Amino acid sequence: MASRTTPPPRRAPGRPVGSVTRGTTNPNRLRRMDRWIAATHGAALRRAGDPVAVDLGYGAAPWTAVELLARLREAAPRVRVVGIEIEPDRVAGAKPYEREGLSFRHGGFEVPLDGPGGGERPALIRAANVLRQYDEEQVASVWARLRGRLAPDGLLVEGTCDEIGRRHVWVALGPEGPRTVTFATRLGSLDRPSDLAERLPKALIHRNVPGEPVWAFLRDFDRAWAAAAPYASYGARQRWIRTARALAGDWPLADGPGRWRQGELTVRWEALRPTG
Ligand SMILES: C[S@@+](CC[C@H](N)C(=O)[O-])C[C@H]1O[C@@H](n2cnc3c(N)ncnc32)[C@H](O)[C@@H]1O
């Protein structure tokens, strides 16, 4: 459990906000998140005049930024991706991969972009597997700082996954605050939905205890999955869809069968917001 006394990340003048952490990454690790962003935020990216998407904390190699560009361009051909890393050697290592629409720069939670006063406002900030290495108490201030950098209809996606991207949980936030929590998994690898608990984002992972909404949600998710066991003979996807339909009776889901078929399920943040 995180220390209660940890202050929010600060910046010495001229230094990026935040701390260097482990750079673990993998090709194709974030495909589920990329696909969801393209599907749910593609229209907003298309509407924007000159959309910029930030891959914040892309890690020891630039694969996730390269892939984000390719997947977003299928939905929004004019989008540009800027990879931002707090560790300078990782920026130098990524520079050879720059190309039209893709650049890398040194920075932190201040999200430095071109232009005066911190620069242009990104239509998307994606921070994957970054906040897991910070303290729970720092999350609210980091979220507020990142939200404050977004374009008016911009989106912040912050979450966590396993090494090869089979299990993912992320929070999506607008400039006004958190909106949704998405659970995404390779269904063939799932014993039960609460397998995803170990990938909860920092804001929720310490709250998976009795009395907290996320714990009750995962309990109900597992129960619905167990009740849907007869559908397993039609495949894990049919079982997941049946599970989602049952959950929708008690929890405010924000998506439907089209996304459930992908092994996703999105619930409104208000329903999972930690107590106190
Ligand atoms: C575990 S890696 C994640 C890499 C990639 N996003 C992925 O999911 O595969 C976390 C990276 O975030 C970087 N990082 C941590 N805090 C940061 C900050 N405040 N601003 C930019 N990068 C940061 C670390 O230096 C590290 O390279």
Side-chain angles (χ1 to χ4, degrees), residues 9 16-26 29-30 55-61 64 84-87 90 107-110 126-131 133-134 142 159 161-163 168:
V17 181
S19 330
V20 174
T21 55
R22 285 189 305 278
T24 315
T25 188
N26 265 315
R29 182 188 201 191
L30 302 182
D55 193 12
L56 185 67
Y58 56 82
T64 64
I84 296 180
E85 230 319 314
I86 200 165
E87 208 285 310
R90 296 176 188 159
F109 295 136
E110 77 284 5
R126 186 271 291 285
N129 299 300
V130 175
L131 284 190
Q133 297 175 64
Y134 286 78
V142 171
C161 67
D162 64 356
E163 287 68 17
H168 238 308

Side-chain angles (χ1 to χ4, degrees), residues 110-124:
E110 77 284 5
V111 189
L113 291 172
D114 290 332
E120 53 196 339
R121 294 188 169 271
L124 172 78

Side-chain angles (χ1 to χ4, degrees), residues 49-189:
D50 181 19
V52 178
V54 169
D55 193 12
L56 185 67
Y58 56 82
W63 317 135
T64 64
V66 172
E67 293 163 359
L68 183 65
L69 178 69
R71 295 196 178 109
L72 291 186
R73 283 218 161 161
E74 289 174 17
R78 285 177 290 116
V79 76
R80 290 181 287 129
V81 169
V82 180
I84 296 180
E85 230 319 314
I86 200 165
E87 208 285 310
D89 288 346
R90 296 176 188 159
V91 182
K95 284 280 181 189
Y97 294 86
E98 288 192 335
R99 62 187 70 167
E100 187 277 315
L102 179 63
S103 59
F104 297 96
R105 64 174 54 191
H106 183 220
F109 295 136
E110 77 284 5
V111 189
L113 291 172
D114 290 332
E120 53 196 339
R121 294 188 169 271
L124 172 78
I125 301 174
R126 186 271 291 285
N129 299 300
V130 175
L131 284 190
R132 270 297 286 274
Q133 297 175 64
Y134 286 78
D135 291 329
E136 184 186 5
E137 288 70 23
Q138 297 176 297
V139 172
S141 64
V142 171
W143 277 2
R145 188 185 272 274
L146 296 178
R147 288 194 286 109
R149 288 290 291 118
L150 289 172
D153 60 352
L155 194 70
L156 165 64
V157 181
E158 188 271 305
T160 309
C161 67
D162 64 356
E163 287 68 17
I164 56 172
R166 286 188 309 184
R167 292 177 186 169
H168 238 308
V169 188
W170 60 79
V171 183
L173 308 91
E176 78 292 351
R179 293 177 180 168
T180 55
V181 182
T182 297
F183 297 78
T185 186
R186 190 168 81 96
L187 289 169
S189 72

Side-chain angles (χ1 to χ4, degrees), residues 216-269:
F217 177 75
L218 288 172
R219 177 201 59 200
D220 288 0
F221 209 164
D222 278 352
R223 284 181 181 163
W225 178 254
Y231 288 80
S233 54
Y234 301 106
R237 178 177 296 161
Q238 291 307 318
R239 185 177 180 181
W240 181 264
I241 290 171
R242 179 71 196 178
T243 301
R245 282 195 200 290
L247 265 185
D250 293 321
W251 294 90
L253 302 190
D255 59 358
R259 301 311 309 173
W260 299 340
R261 294 183 61 75
Q262 310 290 326
E264 295 171 8
L265 186 135
T266 296
V267 61
R268 301 217 173 274
W269 167 258

